[in-house]
Structure formats: C-alpha cells, structure tokens
Amino acid sequence: MKISYNWVKQFINLDWEAEKTSELLTDIGLEVEGIECFEAIKGGLEGIVVGHVLSCKKHPNADRLKVTEVSIGSDETLQIVCGAPNVEAGQKVPVATIGTTLYDEDGKPWKIKKGKIRGEVSQGMICAEDEIGLGKGHDGIMVLDENLSVGAPLSTVFDVETDSVFEIGLTPNRADAMSHLGVARDIRAGLIQQDVSIEFITPSNSNFKVENRLNKTDVEVENNELAPRYCGLTISNLKVGPSPKWLQNRLNAIGITPKNNVVDITNYVLHDLGQPLHAFDSSKISGNKIIVKTLEKGTKFTTLDGVERELHEEDLMICDAEKPLCIAGVFGGENSGVTENTTSIFLESAYFNPVSIRKTAKRHGLNTDASFRFERGIDPNITEYALKRAALLLVDIAEGEITSDVIDIYPKKIEDHQVFLQYDQATKLIGEELPREAIKAILTSLDIKINNVTEAGIGMTIPAYRNDVTREADVIEEILRVYGYNNVEFSHKLNTSISFSDSNDVKIENIVATQLISQGFNETMANSLTKSNYISLTEMLKEEHNVTMLNPLSSDLGVMRQSLLFSGLESIIYNINRKNNSLKFFEFGKTYHHFESGYSEQKHLTLFITGKRTKDSWNITQKKSDFFYLKGVVTALLQRLGIQKTKTTLTKNDVFSEGITLSLGKTKLVDLGVVKYTILKEFGIKQEVLYADFNWENILKVGGKSKVKVSELSKFQAVKRDFALLVDEKVTFSEIYNLAFQTEKNFLREVDLFDVYEGDKLEKGKKSYAVSFLIQDKNKTLNDKQIDKIMQKLQHAFEKNIGAILR
C-alpha cells in the first residue's frame, strides 16, 4: 500500500524526515518496505534554466530551422539550433543545458548532448512545455515572463512538488490503516508515546449545505444484512473536466492515474478517509430510483471493463427501476458511469457486508481498491462524513450543486466493542509490568474510550472501525505495538518446558531426511493448495475426490492436492528456468481426498531426481541420473529402516512411462520410475525426471522395528567367485539375488550384478547376467573344496528354479 507523506501531513503537521517517520511506522506495526521519491514533474526541472534569446537567424542549410544565441547568465552565450516557429530575439525561454536528462511521453530518459544539426553547432535545447512536463502544448517553444532573471533554475520559477511515498506492507487485519487518515492516526499515537504533542487535523464539513431539493433520487435497500448502511445524495449542474494540479499530484504520487475531476475526487476520498464511493450518472438511472438487492442466478451483467458476467444469486447489486447498474462494493457497470457529458450524479457511500463482498469479488475474479477495503471491513460510522467531504470537493472543483438531502439508511447501528482489560493479564502477555498511566495514555491515543478504571483493570469501548480489536488479547497487542516492542526489556533467565514423546514416527522421519541430505537432496515444502486441472494429467486421480475450496484465493489454489507430484514438478521447472538443471528434492507432505466415506488425509514421502548425479568437478566423471540410480536411493532408504526382501512388480500408476512398485507382502510401500513425457510437457520440462512416491503410513507400519546389530569384523579372508548366467529375458536380477541367499544362508555375504548382455549372439528371448558372489566363513578360512561345493549348490538352484544355463 502506497502512502504519500505530504498527504499524511494534511492530518498532522510533522516536520520529521521521511526516514525517521518510516522508522516510527515500522515500530508501531505498519512496516515500511521502501520509500520512493515522487516528483510532480519527472526530473524536477533539474538542469533547465531561464535563457535570454539574444539573436535569432535563419539556418543557412535548413529552411525550417533557426540558429539562436542564448544567454543563460554565464559569461559566454550558447549557440542553439531551434526548429520552433515562434522563437524570436528578446524572449525569455526555458533552456535544457548539455547533460540535462529529459523524458519522452513514455517516461524514458534521454540526455541533452552537444552536437551539430545540419552543419551548425547546437549547445543545448530551447524547450516546449510538453518536453519538460509543464503542459501538453507543442506548437512552439515555451515563452517565459520577461521579468525573470537570466540563468535562474526553472525549478525555482515553477513550484515543482516533491514527495516521499511509503510502501507499507499492511497486514490483512489492519483495515483501519487502509487510508492516509488511518496511517496518520497511528503516527499520532506513536508520537504521543514519544512525548511529542501534535494537533490532529481532520477536514471540516461545516460548509456543507443543500442548494435546492429539485433532483432527489429515491433509495430502497431490500437486504439490510448485506448492506447495513447506505448513504447517497444528488449533485447537479457539475462540469466534468481535468482535476486541479494538487489533486492530480496526490493521486499520481500513490500510482493512480487521474481521469476526470469526478472520478478523481471519489478516488481521493477513498485513499484519504478509507471510504469507497461510487458516482452514477443520474441521467442513466431509470425511474430516478436506486434499489439495493440481489438478482436471480444467471443474470447477465456487463461491467466497466466490457466483460459480460453471469451473476450469482448472492451477489449484491445496485439497480435502478429497470436494470442493474453496479456490482455493489466491487465494480461498476459499463453504462452507468460518469462521462465527459455527465452533468448530474448520484453519489453513493455505503457500508457493505465484508463476507458478501469478499465472496462476490472472488467469484468474479475481481480485485479493486473498493473491494479490497470493503472485504476487510471499513468504518461504518464514517460513511456520511466521507459523502459530505466528497460533495464539498465536487462543489468546489466541478462547480456542482447539492440538489438533495443526504439519504442515510442505517436501520441497525453497528455498535462499538466493549472490552475489559486486566492488568495482570497484560503483564503476563507482555512479560513486563507497564505503568498504568502509560497504558491509559496509549489507549486514549488510539481513540479507545476508557469507561471505568479499577484496581484490577480498565473497562473500555473500542471504536467500530477497529474490527480487529474485539478481545482482551487484541487490546494488549495494541498497547504493546504502540509502547514499542524494542522497549520491552529482555529477561536474563530463560524458562522452557521439555515435552516427552515416545512416538517413533518423528525419529524415523529424521533418519530418512538425514540420509537423503547426505546424498545431496534438498527438502522442499510446497503449498497444499493447487490447480484443479492437474488431475486431468492422470487417470489415477478423480475429480469427484477433490477437496474444493469454497472461497479460493485464485484458480491456481482452488483445490487441495491429491498428489505431491505436480507441486514437485512446479519446483523443478522453477529451478530449471533459473539455470539449475541438476536437482534432487524430497518432500514429506499430505494428500487430501474426498471419498464417499468422508474426507481423508494421507502422508507421503516423495523423491525427485533430474539431471546429473553430482555437481560438476574437475576430478569427477559425470553420470546422468537414471532409473537405476533412483532405485538404489529407494532401496538404501528401505534397508536403513530395516525393510528388506521386498517384492517388485510393474507399477499400475500411469504417471510413469516405466516404473515399478515395491511391496512387502500385500502392503504397497513405494512407486518409482520415470515420469511420463506428456506430464512433463505440461510444465515445460524437457529433461527426464525420476520420481518416487512412498506411502509413508505403510512405511511406518513395517519400518523402524529392526535394531542395528554390531558384529566383530572377521579375521578370515573372503573369496569372490563369478557366474555368467544365460537366462530368459523376463528374469530379473532381484530373483537371482533372493534365490542366492535362500540357497546359501551361512557363508554367502554379497551378490552383485556387474554386467548385462543382450545381443544377436544370444538366442532370441535370452540375456546374460554376469554375477559375483562374495563367500566368507567368520570362524575359519574356506578351502577350495568347500567353495566349490557352495558354488555348485548355487548353480543347481539357478538351473532348477529360473532355468539358468552357465555360459
């Protein structure tokens, strides 16, 4: 949120530097994220001086150019080539000297340089008013008052307003600070805490008066729950045109482009007092009547941006006797707004139900300055005051006449909040006992009325515009932020409570995370909210199982995720787009489902690998990550948790182009494989991505139960023997691995696959595995006879069970 310092000074006459005030704002909870310098004229006329044209002659090489001699107050004169038809000797003119930066219509800077134009030297530029931001005319150069001093900086001749603009990171609960009035209120409270006494100035409406009652617009509110307060009046005989400079400067400073005096005044009051207003062209209000109501579902309505929208039955609308005019508190209609031909308006000032406005804005994907404030809750008691303030400005600037009484429909007043603060509770939460007089002074500075004071605490009335202060704890927070968090002394003693838990789940999670991090993985944490259309990328997920948000922040956050895959791919493409192509991620997270039996949450661990296995290094030969690398990582994790002898089957999960499922008995543990190209294409990923999805709840059921056994290293030598086995192409190494250990349980220590051959030299449907076996007796050295016996037993088992032939 942008706040103009000059604008704030209309409420408090403060002479502090902007940086000092920004520190105060941050200390009291309105964090200033940055300060920008605003100039009413870009560049501030720097480098432009008053020049005196001493002579003006025709350019010898160009009919439309002139060569002038111009004095700028220094001893030597400047020769400047000028193409303006109205330049003459004796004039006082604005001169941009060499090195001056000017700006074109798009705001792009360009610098004045010494050069030659058609053979004649030009040492500057005599400017037109549009070239230096003092007007829009470009018929000729700007001729200045002849009484001005030659060489005087033009910034001293014209009053160029400069301003400091605070960028405030406003938290959603601080609806009261969404205006310059609200920010000034907080500054005043902070100043009082620092013993700085300052007057708080609010605009007076004492000059408000009704000129006549010849143009009254009737108002009917059908739904007072959605529109608790509705005010309006009619202003006639106004002239729509450009706003005065001071008003344009105020709006430009906070990034709002001026349109015309009527629209600019409504925008000004919005940012001045925090009250959104809306002006309707009276000539477009059928039946001279405003009706505030909801319409039937499916009603078509075209908004100010030219988009035809389909209304919801709960959308509150501002209508006339025949048609809808405006989506209340959100966006105006295409055919009811103010134009240059408007002469009479109905001016609306209202308090709408925040929940209703928020739902309507989200339904239609609209976010306007008005809806931003209405949906957070504005001051219900400033409605009429803001209306009169705007009416007086319209009378003054647009020369209008107030031609109706103020209509104020407010059947049930929104009451202030009553809260009792206990001193003991304040001390407990703050961690320090504050002086009671200081507490009362802070509350008073925040416009909180003190009703009664006892030994135990303070009874008070909170103004209705502070809808975030409704509890004792809220009041204590207000006291603390104004008192200053930095002023609370730290205790030299630290108290803490140590909780005991015998749960093994966190320990297992930490074991896994530690192992993955040691292998170069980074942990990610993704949003549980995601796009609803991701489920169309796989048949494994069903739309009817979505957990849908009733009031989503955006369409990208419309449902809760049914899979961790897509948020992981978002992280991968984010990194790839930033030239980080080799990635290893893991995430512990939940998926969310809506089954017929009810809602379900399931915890998962996912792994993502893409690119190279290790970082580039001069002494490492790089290898690309592949399926077998991922399988090795997964297997190592399972073994670390004591899970062995898993069963391998082809996966049924269609997110993989190729993949397997590892199970223990009938319990599925993990799906892993290569993500399908069609899915990667949706994210713009052009490189292979490996993915593993652990069912973490099943992992916890079967894992972490085996204890680590420590044994003494054997003193006796191990023996290594190899087999080249010819097997059917369907036989997997895991079958050979498991069969080997089932056959020889006493002396077999390791089984490794070191080569696979599939080629035209083998029989069709066959392949060759080169397998090594490590054999060792921990109590003695094995002799050749014993070793041969073991190898024969293994050979016989392979031939009998998997049809292997020793090559």
Side-chain angles (χ1 to χ4, degrees), residues 767-802:
K767 62 183 174 182
S768 176
Y769 278 149
V771 184
S772 67
F773 303 89
L774 190 70
I775 305 168
Q776 184 185 45
D777 188 338
K778 295 181 180 180
N779 300 314
K780 62 182 179 180
T781 302
L782 293 169
N783 56 43
D784 289 341
K785 186 176 180 180
Q786 290 172 310
I787 295 169
D788 290 341
K789 185 178 179 181
I790 293 170
M791 296 305 295
Q792 288 172 6
K793 186 164 58 170
L794 289 171
Q795 180 181 346
H796 178 71
F798 294 148
E799 291 172 347
K800 180 180 179 182
N801 292 283
I802 59 175

Short mmCIF file of all heavy atoms in Angstrom, two decimals, residues 767-802:
data_model
loop_
_atom_site.label_atom_id
_atom_site.label_comp_id
_atom_site.label_asym_id
_atom_site.label_seq_id
_atom_site.Cartn_x
_atom_site.Cartn_y
_atom_site.Cartn_z
N LYS A 767 19.07 -63.40 -22.25
CA LYS A 767 20.06 -62.38 -21.89
C LYS A 767 21.06 -63.01 -20.94
O LYS A 767 20.81 -64.07 -20.34
CB LYS A 767 19.40 -61.17 -21.24
CG LYS A 767 18.66 -61.45 -19.94
CD LYS A 767 17.98 -60.19 -19.42
CE LYS A 767 17.12 -60.51 -18.19
NZ LYS A 767 16.40 -59.30 -17.70
N SER A 768 22.21 -62.34 -20.79
CA SER A 768 23.28 -62.88 -19.96
C SER A 768 23.56 -61.94 -18.80
O SER A 768 23.74 -60.73 -19.00
CB SER A 768 24.55 -63.07 -20.79
OG SER A 768 25.62 -63.50 -19.96
N TYR A 769 23.54 -62.50 -17.56
CA TYR A 769 23.88 -61.75 -16.36
C TYR A 769 25.26 -62.20 -15.88
O TYR A 769 25.50 -63.42 -15.74
CB TYR A 769 22.89 -62.02 -15.23
CG TYR A 769 21.61 -61.22 -15.30
CD1 TYR A 769 20.42 -61.76 -14.81
CD2 TYR A 769 21.59 -59.93 -15.83
CE1 TYR A 769 19.23 -61.04 -14.84
CE2 TYR A 769 20.42 -59.21 -15.87
CZ TYR A 769 19.24 -59.76 -15.38
OH TYR A 769 18.08 -59.05 -15.43
N ALA A 770 26.14 -61.24 -15.64
CA ALA A 770 27.42 -61.55 -15.00
C ALA A 770 27.29 -61.18 -13.53
O ALA A 770 27.14 -60.00 -13.20
CB ALA A 770 28.55 -60.78 -15.66
N VAL A 771 27.31 -62.22 -12.66
CA VAL A 771 27.01 -62.02 -11.24
C VAL A 771 28.21 -62.47 -10.41
O VAL A 771 28.82 -63.52 -10.67
CB VAL A 771 25.77 -62.83 -10.83
CG1 VAL A 771 25.40 -62.54 -9.38
CG2 VAL A 771 24.60 -62.54 -11.77
N SER A 772 28.56 -61.65 -9.40
CA SER A 772 29.66 -62.00 -8.49
C SER A 772 29.09 -62.38 -7.13
O SER A 772 28.07 -61.83 -6.69
CB SER A 772 30.64 -60.84 -8.36
OG SER A 772 30.03 -59.75 -7.71
N PHE A 773 29.78 -63.33 -6.45
CA PHE A 773 29.34 -63.81 -5.14
C PHE A 773 30.52 -63.69 -4.18
O PHE A 773 31.64 -64.15 -4.50
CB PHE A 773 28.90 -65.27 -5.23
CG PHE A 773 27.80 -65.51 -6.23
CD1 PHE A 773 28.10 -65.79 -7.56
CD2 PHE A 773 26.47 -65.44 -5.86
CE1 PHE A 773 27.10 -66.02 -8.49
CE2 PHE A 773 25.46 -65.66 -6.77
CZ PHE A 773 25.77 -65.94 -8.09
N LEU A 774 30.28 -63.07 -3.03
CA LEU A 774 31.31 -62.96 -2.01
C LEU A 774 31.00 -63.96 -0.90
O LEU A 774 29.92 -63.92 -0.30
CB LEU A 774 31.35 -61.54 -1.44
CG LEU A 774 32.55 -61.24 -0.53
CD1 LEU A 774 33.83 -61.18 -1.36
CD2 LEU A 774 32.35 -59.91 0.21
N ILE A 775 31.97 -64.91 -0.66
CA ILE A 775 31.76 -66.01 0.29
C ILE A 775 32.78 -65.89 1.40
O ILE A 775 33.97 -65.64 1.16
CB ILE A 775 31.91 -67.37 -0.43
CG1 ILE A 775 30.97 -67.43 -1.64
CG2 ILE A 775 31.64 -68.53 0.51
CD1 ILE A 775 31.23 -68.59 -2.56
N GLN A 776 32.32 -66.09 2.64
CA GLN A 776 33.23 -65.94 3.78
C GLN A 776 32.71 -66.73 4.98
O GLN A 776 31.51 -66.72 5.28
CB GLN A 776 33.37 -64.46 4.15
CG GLN A 776 34.36 -64.19 5.26
CD GLN A 776 34.37 -62.73 5.66
OE1 GLN A 776 33.30 -62.12 5.82
NE2 GLN A 776 35.57 -62.15 5.80
N ASP A 777 33.64 -67.42 5.66
CA ASP A 777 33.35 -68.05 6.95
C ASP A 777 34.01 -67.18 8.02
O ASP A 777 35.21 -66.91 7.95
CB ASP A 777 33.93 -69.47 6.98
CG ASP A 777 33.49 -70.23 8.23
OD1 ASP A 777 33.12 -69.57 9.23
OD2 ASP A 777 33.52 -71.47 8.20
N LYS A 778 33.21 -66.75 9.00
CA LYS A 778 33.73 -65.82 10.00
C LYS A 778 34.63 -66.51 11.03
O LYS A 778 35.31 -65.84 11.81
CB LYS A 778 32.57 -65.12 10.72
CG LYS A 778 31.75 -64.24 9.80
CD LYS A 778 30.63 -63.54 10.55
CE LYS A 778 29.82 -62.66 9.62
NZ LYS A 778 28.71 -61.97 10.33
N ASN A 779 34.64 -67.85 11.01
CA ASN A 779 35.39 -68.58 12.04
C ASN A 779 36.66 -69.26 11.51
O ASN A 779 37.52 -69.68 12.28
CB ASN A 779 34.50 -69.64 12.69
CG ASN A 779 33.28 -69.00 13.37
OD1 ASN A 779 33.43 -68.00 14.07
ND2 ASN A 779 32.11 -69.57 13.13
N LYS A 780 36.74 -69.45 10.18
CA LYS A 780 37.92 -70.11 9.61
C LYS A 780 38.04 -69.75 8.13
O LYS A 780 37.12 -69.20 7.53
CB LYS A 780 37.82 -71.62 9.77
CG LYS A 780 36.63 -72.24 9.05
CD LYS A 780 36.57 -73.74 9.29
CE LYS A 780 35.34 -74.33 8.56
NZ LYS A 780 35.25 -75.80 8.78
N THR A 781 39.18 -70.13 7.56
CA THR A 781 39.41 -69.88 6.15
C THR A 781 38.82 -71.02 5.34
O THR A 781 39.08 -72.21 5.61
CB THR A 781 40.92 -69.77 5.85
OG1 THR A 781 41.47 -68.71 6.62
CG2 THR A 781 41.16 -69.50 4.37
N LEU A 782 38.01 -70.70 4.33
CA LEU A 782 37.41 -71.72 3.48
C LEU A 782 38.45 -72.31 2.53
O LEU A 782 39.31 -71.58 1.98
CB LEU A 782 36.26 -71.11 2.67
CG LEU A 782 35.02 -70.67 3.46
CD1 LEU A 782 34.09 -69.86 2.57
CD2 LEU A 782 34.29 -71.87 4.05
N ASN A 783 38.35 -73.63 2.29
CA ASN A 783 39.25 -74.25 1.32
C ASN A 783 38.52 -74.39 -0.02
O ASN A 783 37.31 -74.16 -0.13
CB ASN A 783 39.76 -75.60 1.82
CG ASN A 783 38.62 -76.55 2.17
OD1 ASN A 783 37.64 -76.63 1.44
ND2 ASN A 783 38.76 -77.26 3.30
N ASP A 784 39.25 -74.79 -1.06
CA ASP A 784 38.68 -74.86 -2.41
C ASP A 784 37.51 -75.83 -2.49
O ASP A 784 36.52 -75.60 -3.20
CB ASP A 784 39.76 -75.29 -3.40
CG ASP A 784 40.81 -74.20 -3.62
OD1 ASP A 784 40.49 -73.03 -3.30
OD2 ASP A 784 41.90 -74.51 -4.11
N LYS A 785 37.62 -76.92 -1.77
CA LYS A 785 36.55 -77.92 -1.81
C LYS A 785 35.24 -77.34 -1.28
O LYS A 785 34.16 -77.55 -1.86
CB LYS A 785 36.99 -79.14 -1.00
CG LYS A 785 36.03 -80.31 -1.09
CD LYS A 785 36.57 -81.52 -0.33
CE LYS A 785 35.60 -82.70 -0.43
NZ LYS A 785 36.09 -83.90 0.30
N GLN A 786 35.34 -76.60 -0.19
CA GLN A 786 34.14 -76.00 0.40
C GLN A 786 33.54 -74.94 -0.53
O GLN A 786 32.32 -74.83 -0.69
CB GLN A 786 34.48 -75.37 1.76
CG GLN A 786 34.81 -76.39 2.84
CD GLN A 786 35.33 -75.72 4.09
OE1 GLN A 786 36.25 -74.89 4.02
NE2 GLN A 786 34.78 -76.11 5.23
N ILE A 787 34.44 -74.16 -1.12
CA ILE A 787 33.98 -73.08 -2.02
C ILE A 787 33.29 -73.68 -3.24
O ILE A 787 32.21 -73.22 -3.66
CB ILE A 787 35.17 -72.20 -2.44
CG1 ILE A 787 35.74 -71.49 -1.21
CG2 ILE A 787 34.76 -71.21 -3.52
CD1 ILE A 787 37.07 -70.80 -1.47
N ASP A 788 33.91 -74.72 -3.83
CA ASP A 788 33.31 -75.34 -5.00
C ASP A 788 31.94 -75.94 -4.67
O ASP A 788 31.01 -75.90 -5.50
CB ASP A 788 34.23 -76.44 -5.53
CG ASP A 788 35.50 -75.87 -6.15
OD1 ASP A 788 35.48 -74.66 -6.48
OD2 ASP A 788 36.50 -76.61 -6.29
N LYS A 789 31.81 -76.50 -3.49
CA LYS A 789 30.53 -77.08 -3.08
C LYS A 789 29.43 -76.02 -3.01
O LYS A 789 28.29 -76.24 -3.44
CB LYS A 789 30.71 -77.77 -1.73
CG LYS A 789 29.47 -78.52 -1.27
CD LYS A 789 29.72 -79.23 0.07
CE LYS A 789 28.46 -79.96 0.53
NZ LYS A 789 28.67 -80.65 1.83
N ILE A 790 29.80 -74.87 -2.45
CA ILE A 790 28.83 -73.77 -2.36
C ILE A 790 28.42 -73.30 -3.75
O ILE A 790 27.23 -73.09 -4.04
CB ILE A 790 29.42 -72.60 -1.54
CG1 ILE A 790 29.61 -73.04 -0.07
CG2 ILE A 790 28.53 -71.37 -1.63
CD1 ILE A 790 30.40 -72.05 0.76
N MET A 791 29.38 -73.14 -4.65
CA MET A 791 29.09 -72.64 -6.00
C MET A 791 28.24 -73.65 -6.78
O MET A 791 27.37 -73.27 -7.56
CB MET A 791 30.38 -72.34 -6.74
CG MET A 791 31.21 -71.22 -6.11
SD MET A 791 30.28 -69.68 -5.91
CE MET A 791 29.98 -69.24 -7.61
N GLN A 792 28.53 -74.95 -6.57
CA GLN A 792 27.71 -75.97 -7.24
C GLN A 792 26.27 -75.94 -6.74
O GLN A 792 25.32 -76.12 -7.52
CB GLN A 792 28.32 -77.36 -7.00
CG GLN A 792 29.62 -77.60 -7.76
CD GLN A 792 30.30 -78.89 -7.35
OE1 GLN A 792 29.76 -79.69 -6.58
NE2 GLN A 792 31.52 -79.11 -7.87
N LYS A 793 26.12 -75.71 -5.45
CA LYS A 793 24.77 -75.62 -4.88
C LYS A 793 24.01 -74.43 -5.47
O LYS A 793 22.81 -74.53 -5.80
CB LYS A 793 24.87 -75.50 -3.36
CG LYS A 793 23.51 -75.55 -2.67
CD LYS A 793 23.60 -75.82 -1.17
CE LYS A 793 24.43 -74.81 -0.45
NZ LYS A 793 24.31 -74.94 1.04
N LEU A 794 24.71 -73.30 -5.64
CA LEU A 794 24.08 -72.12 -6.23
C LEU A 794 23.72 -72.38 -7.69
O LEU A 794 22.64 -72.02 -8.15
CB LEU A 794 25.03 -70.91 -6.13
CG LEU A 794 25.24 -70.32 -4.73
CD1 LEU A 794 26.35 -69.29 -4.75
CD2 LEU A 794 23.95 -69.69 -4.21
N GLN A 795 24.67 -73.03 -8.43
CA GLN A 795 24.42 -73.32 -9.85
C GLN A 795 23.19 -74.20 -10.01
O GLN A 795 22.33 -73.96 -10.87
CB GLN A 795 25.64 -73.99 -10.46
CG GLN A 795 25.46 -74.33 -11.94
CD GLN A 795 26.68 -75.03 -12.52
OE1 GLN A 795 27.76 -75.04 -11.92
NE2 GLN A 795 26.52 -75.62 -13.70
N HIS A 796 23.10 -75.24 -9.18
CA HIS A 796 21.96 -76.15 -9.26
C HIS A 796 20.64 -75.40 -8.97
O HIS A 796 19.62 -75.64 -9.64
CB HIS A 796 22.16 -77.29 -8.25
CG HIS A 796 21.02 -78.26 -8.21
ND1 HIS A 796 20.75 -79.16 -9.25
CD2 HIS A 796 20.04 -78.46 -7.26
CE1 HIS A 796 19.68 -79.86 -8.94
NE2 HIS A 796 19.23 -79.48 -7.74
N ALA A 797 20.66 -74.51 -7.98
CA ALA A 797 19.45 -73.74 -7.64
C ALA A 797 19.02 -72.84 -8.79
O ALA A 797 17.83 -72.73 -9.11
CB ALA A 797 19.70 -72.92 -6.38
N PHE A 798 19.98 -72.21 -9.47
CA PHE A 798 19.66 -71.32 -10.59
C PHE A 798 19.09 -72.12 -11.76
O PHE A 798 18.14 -71.69 -12.43
CB PHE A 798 20.90 -70.55 -11.03
CG PHE A 798 21.41 -69.56 -10.01
CD1 PHE A 798 22.78 -69.29 -9.90
CD2 PHE A 798 20.53 -68.92 -9.14
CE1 PHE A 798 23.25 -68.39 -8.96
CE2 PHE A 798 21.00 -68.01 -8.20
CZ PHE A 798 22.36 -67.76 -8.11
N GLU A 799 19.69 -73.29 -12.03
CA GLU A 799 19.23 -74.10 -13.15
C GLU A 799 17.83 -74.64 -12.90
O GLU A 799 16.98 -74.67 -13.79
CB GLU A 799 20.20 -75.27 -13.36
CG GLU A 799 21.56 -74.82 -13.89
CD GLU A 799 22.58 -75.96 -13.93
OE1 GLU A 799 22.31 -77.02 -13.31
OE2 GLU A 799 23.63 -75.77 -14.54
N LYS A 800 17.56 -75.03 -11.66
CA LYS A 800 16.27 -75.64 -11.33
C LYS A 800 15.14 -74.62 -11.23
O LYS A 800 14.02 -74.87 -11.71
CB LYS A 800 16.42 -76.40 -10.00
CG LYS A 800 15.14 -77.09 -9.55
CD LYS A 800 15.34 -77.82 -8.24
CE LYS A 800 14.04 -78.49 -7.78
NZ LYS A 800 14.21 -79.16 -6.46
N ASN A 801 15.41 -73.47 -10.62
CA ASN A 801 14.33 -72.53 -10.30
C ASN A 801 14.08 -71.47 -11.38
O ASN A 801 12.93 -71.04 -11.56
CB ASN A 801 14.61 -71.84 -8.97
CG ASN A 801 14.53 -72.79 -7.79
OD1 ASN A 801 13.46 -73.16 -7.34
ND2 ASN A 801 15.69 -73.22 -7.30
N ILE A 802 15.10 -71.05 -12.07
CA ILE A 802 14.89 -69.99 -13.07
C ILE A 802 15.36 -70.39 -14.46
O ILE A 802 15.38 -69.57 -15.38
CB ILE A 802 15.59 -68.67 -12.65
CG1 ILE A 802 17.09 -68.89 -12.49
CG2 ILE A 802 14.98 -68.11 -11.39
CD1 ILE A 802 17.85 -67.60 -12.19
#
